[in-house]
Amino acid sequence: MLKKLLKALGIALALLLLAFAGFVWWSLQPRLEPRPLPDDLVAVTADRGQVLLAQASAAADYGPLSKHFEPQSLKSYCGVASGVAVLSAIGLDVDQDSFFNSEAEQVSPRISVMLGGMSLGELAGLLRAHGAVVNVHHADEFTLEEFRDAVAANLSTERDFLVVNYQREVLGQPRVGHISPLAAYDGDSDLVLVMDTASHYYPHTWVPLEKLYAAMATTDPSSGKQRGYLRVTGDDDW
């Protein structure tokens, strides 16, 4: 009788664990829920967004990133989708499933990222695990003017990319840290194009550069450091 009871309890526990795992997986799936943009942000799909793209003073990265861009496959995968986009644009054959190779798993395990996302430094480590050359820039280490110069210079040249980590709340969006690559810059309007990986919420968006800088100059509680950006380049031997 006791054996039957223990067996039944074991089956019930297994079913509960399976149901819980299924719920967690379901909760991680992006669902199409378009959100309105604040008035000072411009969707690239809007008429003005297209004009800005056509007249952008620096847009060398837009084509390569657009060719390889895929929205994040999980709600916590903004860093993964950003990493895959830049690595693919540089010339690597990688997707969001193969991103966590054996070297990357040593930096930050897939399950950890699935459940908690990643910091700027962790993304840098994951990209280096694929052989990329990565420079980390926290927002308290550079000024607004230095960031503007870096954006204008980087987005004017090919095979080097910028990935930003910022607090959405500063842009007038719901409060959450986010990661996405930058694709273009228009010097006349001082707007920068964020290739938002959370396509289930937002389109690629033109953002005032000063506001993006302020959104980076916030503390990531997971690392205790300010957010910022990565400059990513490839190995010349690729």
Side-chain angles (χ1 to χ4, degrees):
M1 184 69 179
L2 181 59
K3 287 183 178 180
K4 289 183 178 180
L5 178 60
L6 290 175
K7 184 178 180 180
L9 287 173
I11 292 174
L13 180 59
L15 289 174
L16 283 173
L17 290 174
L18 184 62
F20 178 73
F23 172 77
V24 171
W25 183 250
W26 174 84
S27 68
L28 292 173
Q29 303 304 306
R31 280 170 285 279
L32 187 61
E33 302 173 24
R35 295 175 174 175
L37 289 174
D39 291 342
D40 58 346
L41 306 188
V42 182
V44 73
T45 52
D47 289 344
R48 187 184 175 212
Q50 288 294 294
V51 169
L52 287 166
L53 185 59
Q55 71 181 27
S57 54
D61 292 351
Y62 181 79
L65 287 174
S66 296
K67 181 179 179 181
H68 297 285
F69 178 84
E70 291 184 1
Q72 59 196 69
S73 58
L74 297 177
K75 288 182 179 179
S76 55
Y77 265 25
C78 58
V80 176
S82 298
V84 167
V86 298
L87 290 174
S88 299
I90 288 170
L92 285 184
D93 182 14
V94 60
D95 58 28
Q96 293 181 53
D97 287 329
S98 63
F99 183 74
F100 288 95
N101 58 19
S102 57
E103 291 82 3
E105 282 281 356
Q106 296 300 313
V107 175
S108 188
R110 183 193 301 265
I111 187 65
S112 174
V113 175
M114 286 174 57
L115 298 178
M118 67 179 74
S119 67
L120 188 68
E122 288 170 332
L123 177 55
L126 289 165
L127 292 170
R128 289 171 182 146
H130 288 272
V133 179
V134 186
N135 300 110
V136 182
H137 301 270
H138 294 283
D140 53 359
E141 300 170 349
F142 57 89
T143 66
L144 170 62
E145 291 73 19
E146 288 171 334
F147 179 56
R148 181 178 289 111
D149 290 343
V151 167
N154 181 278
L155 297 180
S156 297
T157 59
E158 299 179 349
R159 289 185 60 78
D160 61 340
F161 299 90
L162 297 181
V163 178
V164 292
N165 176 208
Y166 60 98
Q167 173 54 253
R168 281 194 184 276
E169 184 180 38
V170 179
L171 304 185
Q173 299 170 340
R175 181 178 178 81
V176 66
H178 190 57
I179 298 173
S180 285
L182 300 183
Y185 173 66
D186 178 59
D188 290 341
S189 63
D190 202 31
L191 295 175
V192 62
L193 181 59
V194 177
M195 193 166 274
D196 201 325
T197 60
S199 300
H200 55 292
Y201 290 144
Y202 297 108
H204 301 337
T205 305
W206 290 98
V207 176
L209 186 138
E210 184 172 359
K211 182 166 280 191
L212 180 60
Y213 174 78
M216 293 189 299
T218 54
T219 300
D220 182 346
S222 69
S223 67
K225 298 181 179 180
Q226 286 205 349
R227 297 178 171 89
Y229 73 91
L230 305 178
R231 179 177 180 269
V232 186
T233 58
D235 188 315
D236 290 338
D237 293 332
W238 287 358

